[in-house]
């Protein structure tokens, strides 16, 4: 029996080794799928719920996918439905999923084959954004250490506040740790039964969450680049500068628009004092980066605010971050291309750097794939639920961009609708990153080029 098991283990290890060397992108997708299945099985047991009755397959799968894909959409209330064991499973799933698709695949490949192949190093390098392939292994360790340190920093800032809220030391420590990991990984899961609705004006609680979400949405390449150049910020990479400028601009624009549109809304900002309105608007401006936290009732917001949130969620956060969406650098590159075309410039230049045209093609491909996924999923949910387009679009974009904000209808989805969002969350987390990394490695040089002819555009 032992020899047979050992033989099967060697066979499986050999198959994973070959997959890691031949198709690391496929290994990344399989790794994430395997992790989702594992956490689904852990959540299916009766020990994972407070009632002692096992969760349904679709609810366990939805929750596991949402946690691993750091989304935050829920079909059951986290604090009331899941037991302490279930909450620990969700937290570990968030931590694992937040490491990144290629990083997770690289760790698995390293564990299986004891080394990283060239193609696998190149794919991992596209995620941590380094040109030195020999640094990939050490950078993965730095990513794990850095993310854990930042999560603990947010938790330490939140811990005294939970003590002030008259929680026991153990309860305060658990909630602080949960919020710290959930915030930095842009997951949006809330362990408390009441959520954050009662803390809309609590600066001591909301501000650390805002900071944690924003830093997590920047991406590991930007965080590591800032750490290396903290004394010479002018030496930051172009990617870091574009991410910081575009991400910061989106937060400011979003916060100002939410403040203006919801100022008198009796269901959201209306009853609040001016300082509380400012905090609520800042919170709401940051959360569409890819975090699903909310301090006001999303379902009571104006439809114009929903539309703005849709746009912000679709863009998402930084590349190789815990955030989803098409990424802020994709938006920045496309806007720069439009400006260059309007000016008649041959090259796309910013911060004294020229952006290659291959990057434009990649940005268009990622945006088109994302828009197609949102369109197809919206059509399916419209047919399945019969809900209005504005509600369906909000939930779909939130799932695709792994945000987790909801108008409150997700728990009422029929099982078919839940499966649609499960697939969409998985595609949103693995699809654009894997596509971007794969396409970056598929640059072909052709000896023979066809004659050039321009079609009419516009």
């Amino acid at each position: 029996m032992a020899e047979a098991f050992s033989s099967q283990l060697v066979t499986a290890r050999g198959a994973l080794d070959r997959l890691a060397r031949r198709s690391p992108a496929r290994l990344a997708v399989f790794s994430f799928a395997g992790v989702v299945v594992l956490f689904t099985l852990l959540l299916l047991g009766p020990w994972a719920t407070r009632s002692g009755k096992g969760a349904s397959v679709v609810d366990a799968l939805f929750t596991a996918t949402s946690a691993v894909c750091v989304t935050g959409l829920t079909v059951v209330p986290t604090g009331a439905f899941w037991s302490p064991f279930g909450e620990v499973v969700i937290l570990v799933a968030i931590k694992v999923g937040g490491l990144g698709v290629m990083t997770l695949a690289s760790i698995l490949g390293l564990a299986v084959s004891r080394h990283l192949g060239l193609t696998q190093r190149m794919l991992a390098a596209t995620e941590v954004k380094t040109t030195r392939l020999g640094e990939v292994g050490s950078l993965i360790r730095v990513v794990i250490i850095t993310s854990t340190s930042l999560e603990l920093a947010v938790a330490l800032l939140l811990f005294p506040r939970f003590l002030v809220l008259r929680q026991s030391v153990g309860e305060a420590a658990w909630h602080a740790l949960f919020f710290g990991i959930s915030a930095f990984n842009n997951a949006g899961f809330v362990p408390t039964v009441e959520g954050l609705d009662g803390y809309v004006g609590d600066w001591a609680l909301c501000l650390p969450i805002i900071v944690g979400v924003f830093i997590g949405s920047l991406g590991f390449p930007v965080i590591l680049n800032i750490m290396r150049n903290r004394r010479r910020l002018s030496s930051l990479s172009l990617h870091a500068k574009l991410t910081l400028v575009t991400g910061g601009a989106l937060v400011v624009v979003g916060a100002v628009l939410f403040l203006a549109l919801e100022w008198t809304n009796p269901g959201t900002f209306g009853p609040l004092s001016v300082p509380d309105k400012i905090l609520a608007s800042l919170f709401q401006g940051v959360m569409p980066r890819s975090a699903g936290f909310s301090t006001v009732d999303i379902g009571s917001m104006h439809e114009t605010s929903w539309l703005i949130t849709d746009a912000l969620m679709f863009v998402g956060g930084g590349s190789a971050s815990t955030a989803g969406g098409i990424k802020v650098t994709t938006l920045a590159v496309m806007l720069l291309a439009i400006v260059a075309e309007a000016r008649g410039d041959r090259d796309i230049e910013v911060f004294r750097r020229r952006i290659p045209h291959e990057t434009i093609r990649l940005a268009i491909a990622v945006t088109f794939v994302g828009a197609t996924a949102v369109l197809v999923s919206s059509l399916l949910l419209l047919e399945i639920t019969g809900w209005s387009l504005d509600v369906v679009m909000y939930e779909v974009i939130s799932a695709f961009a792994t945000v987790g904000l909801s108008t409150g209808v997700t728990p009422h989805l029929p099982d078919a609708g839940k499966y649609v969002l499960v697939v969409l969350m998985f595609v949103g987390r693995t699809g654009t990153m894997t596509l971007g990394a794969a396409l970056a490695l598929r640059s072909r040089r052709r000896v023979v080029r066809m004659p050039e002819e321009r079609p009419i555009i516009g």
Side-chain angles (χ1 to χ4, degrees):
M1 178 69 71
E3 292 181 359
F5 177 76
S6 178
S7 177
Q8 293 176 356
L9 185 63
V10 171
T11 302
R13 184 171 179 173
L16 282 175
D17 190 15
R18 289 191 296 273
L19 183 62
R21 285 185 281 106
R22 295 177 182 177
S23 182
R26 192 177 302 172
L27 174 64
V29 176
F30 286 168
S31 300
F32 246 61
V35 170
V36 169
V37 171
L38 173 62
F39 285 107
T40 300
L41 294 175
L42 291 174
L43 291 175
L44 278 174
W47 52 80
T49 64
R50 293 189 181 273
S51 64
K53 299 179 181 178
S56 65
V57 174
V58 63
D59 288 347
L61 175 63
F62 193 100
T63 303
T65 306
S66 183
V68 173
C69 297
V70 290
T71 303
L73 284 175
T74 57
V75 289
V76 292
T78 303
F81 184 84
W82 300 109
S83 67
F85 174 83
E87 291 181 2
V88 170
V89 170
I90 292 172
L91 194 64
V92 174
I94 292 171
K95 177 63 178 175
V96 172
L99 290 176
V101 181
M102 297 306 167
T103 303
L104 181 61
S106 299
I107 294 172
L108 180 60
L110 187 62
V112 170
S113 60
R114 308 297 185 192
H115 71 280
L116 291 176
L118 177 60
T119 307
Q120 194 170 358
R121 286 178 182 272
M122 292 176 69
L123 274 170
T126 62
E127 184 164 274
V128 295
K129 294 296 182 295
T130 178
T131 57
R132 301 176 182 176
L133 299 185
E135 292 183 348
V136 170
S138 60
L139 278 178
I140 290 175
R141 288 190 291 271
V142 171
V143 164
I144 296 174
I145 294 172
T146 302
S147 62
T148 303
S149 300
L150 291 172
E151 290 161 356
L152 291 176
V154 176
L156 289 174
L157 291 174
L158 292 173
F159 178 65
R161 183 54 186 161
F162 283 119
L163 287 178
V164 172
L165 294 174
R166 297 183 179 179
Q167 294 185 3
S168 65
V169 175
E171 189 179 19
W174 169 245
H175 287 163
L177 180 63
F178 197 106
F179 272 109
I181 294 177
S182 186
F184 177 79
N185 290 284
N186 283 208
F189 277 89
V190 178
T192 54
V193 177
E194 68 276 10
L196 292 174
D197 292 349
Y199 306 99
V200 62
D202 194 331
W203 285 82
L205 183 62
C206 292
L207 198 56
I209 294 176
I210 290 173
V211 173
V213 168
F214 184 75
I215 293 176
S217 71
L218 294 177
F220 295 117
V222 176
I223 295 173
L224 297 178
N225 195 246
I226 292 175
M227 291 171 59
R228 288 175 173 175
N229 299 279
R230 55 186 177 276
R231 296 180 180 178
R232 297 178 293 109
L233 294 181
S234 59
S235 300
L236 290 175
S237 66
L238 176 61
H239 170 76
K241 291 178 180 178
L242 285 178
T243 301
L244 289 169
V245 172
T246 310
L250 289 176
V251 169
V252 172
V253 170
V256 170
L257 289 176
F258 287 128
L259 187 64
L261 293 171
E262 300 293 325
W263 184 272
T264 58
N265 187 344
T268 55
F269 292 4
L272 304 178
S273 64
V274 173
D276 289 354
K277 288 180 180 180
I278 294 175
L279 177 60
S281 63
L282 178 61
F283 196 93
Q284 200 60 40
V286 171
M287 292 308 121
R289 294 281 65 73
S290 191
F293 299 109
S294 59
T295 54
V296 296
D297 182 12
I298 300 297
S300 299
M301 297 181 76
H302 295 307
E303 292 182 0
T304 48
S305 298
W306 285 0
L307 184 60
I308 292 170
T309 308
D310 286 343
L312 293 174
M313 289 191 299
F314 186 74
V315 174
S319 299
S321 71
T322 55
I326 63 171
K327 306 299 186 295
V328 293
T329 43
T330 302
L331 174 66
V333 167
M334 295 185 71
L335 291 177
L336 290 170
I338 293 173
V339 171
E341 188 65 29
R343 291 177 174 176
D345 295 336
R346 181 177 180 179
D347 295 324
I348 303 170
E349 298 175 342
V350 62
F351 295 119
R352 294 188 174 183
R353 292 293 185 270
R354 175 171 54 85
I355 298 176
H357 290 282
E358 290 80 3
T359 304
I360 303 297
R361 297 204 304 268
L362 181 58
I364 294 172
V366 169
T367 304
F368 182 79
V369 170
T372 302
V374 169
L375 175 62
V376 172
S377 301
S378 297
L379 290 174
L380 290 174
L381 277 190
L382 284 172
E383 288 297 317
I384 292 172
T385 64
W387 294 340
S388 61
L389 179 61
D390 54 353
V391 172
V392 168
M393 283 286 289
Y394 197 100
E395 304 299 312
V396 165
I397 295 178
S398 180
F400 164 75
T402 67
V403 177
L405 292 174
S406 174
T407 59
V409 300
T410 300
H412 307 294
L413 280 169
D415 287 352
K418 293 177 183 178
Y419 285 121
V420 170
L421 290 192
V422 164
V423 174
L424 189 58
M425 286 188 289
F426 188 82
V427 170
R429 180 61 176 155
T430 64
T432 54
M433 294 175 70
T434 308
L435 174 67
L439 291 181
L441 299 179
R442 292 180 62 86
S443 179
R444 298 187 302 170
R445 295 187 179 275
R446 300 179 60 180
V447 177
V448 179
R449 301 179 67 188
M450 297 296 134
E452 182 179 278
E453 183 174 351
R454 294 175 178 249
I456 300 175
I457 302 297

